[in-house]
Amino acid sequence: MFLDRDQFKPAAEMMLARDKTSIRVTITDQKACELGEAVYAWITADGKPVRIGTCGSSAGKRLLSYPGYINRSLAGHGGTTPKWEALKWLGLLTAHGMLTAVVHQPEPRLTAVGLIRPYLDVERQLIRRHRPLLNRSHR
């Protein structure tokens, strides 16, 4: 696995909907989805990250937002997900059957301004290391 299993906990699953032309996300661990200031990754069954991101408040809210953006783009209604990216999501789900979202909330670190949770730094390092297919920017 590309991400540390001891730190990243499975939280949700992404699959094709019955119509095979749209996607759906199901929460599998409510406690993991309640984490904020966290890093998440959508991974294949063999643990390869295809998208790495962060959430400021609720991981579950962020993970559940994916179908709306992707399905809107697939239906030709535009939005924040480009069509090429939505098609790649569809292709990955067709090839793999399912993607799993894993979530990690880093421990706070003492800095000059007080305790800070370094989730943005962790995201940046993971994106740089793994270069996920569906990250548009490689911070």
Side-chain angles (χ1 to χ4, degrees), residues 1-8 40-43 47-49 51-52 102 126 129-130:
M1 181 167 184
F2 292 83
L3 302 171
D4 186 352
R5 285 182 193 246
D6 293 331
Q7 293 182 356
F8 281 84
Y40 66 87
W42 286 104
I43 61 172
K48 183 177 181 183
R51 175 69 165 252
I52 297 171
V102 293
L126 290 171
R129 183 181 314 142
H130 297 292

Side-chain angles (χ1 to χ4, degrees), residues 14-34:
M14 182 186 291
M15 294 169 265
L16 288 173
R18 291 182 199 257
D19 65 8
K20 304 286 189 217
T21 62
S22 62
I23 66 158
R24 64 184 176 89
V25 169
T26 304
I27 297 299
T28 57
D29 184 335
Q30 188 60 45
K31 190 167 177 77
C33 285
E34 291 170 3

Side-chain angles (χ1 to χ4, degrees), residues 33-84:
C33 285
E34 291 170 3
L35 296 173
E37 294 186 343
V39 180
Y40 66 87
W42 286 104
I43 61 172
T44 60
D46 62 356
K48 183 177 181 183
V50 296
R51 175 69 165 252
I52 297 171
T54 61
C55 55
S57 57
S58 159
K61 184 176 178 181
R62 178 69 184 108
L63 298 174
L64 287 171
S65 73
Y66 272 81
Y69 295 126
I70 296 168
N71 292 336
R72 193 173 302 119
S73 180
L74 288 171
H77 300 299
T80 58
T81 301
K83 182 77 169 198
W84 65 266

Side-chain angles (χ1 to χ4, degrees), residues 9 16 18 23-24 31-33 41 46 51 64 68 80-81 93 97-98 100 103-104 122 124-125 127-128 138:
K9 303 296 181 198
L16 288 173
R18 291 182 199 257
I23 66 158
R24 64 184 176 89
K31 190 167 177 77
C33 285
D46 62 356
R51 175 69 165 252
L64 287 171
T80 58
T81 301
L93 290 168
M98 180 179 73
T100 302
V103 176
H104 168 63
V122 172
R124 187 175 326 120
Q125 291 168 358
I127 290 172
R128 195 174 312 135
H138 294 288

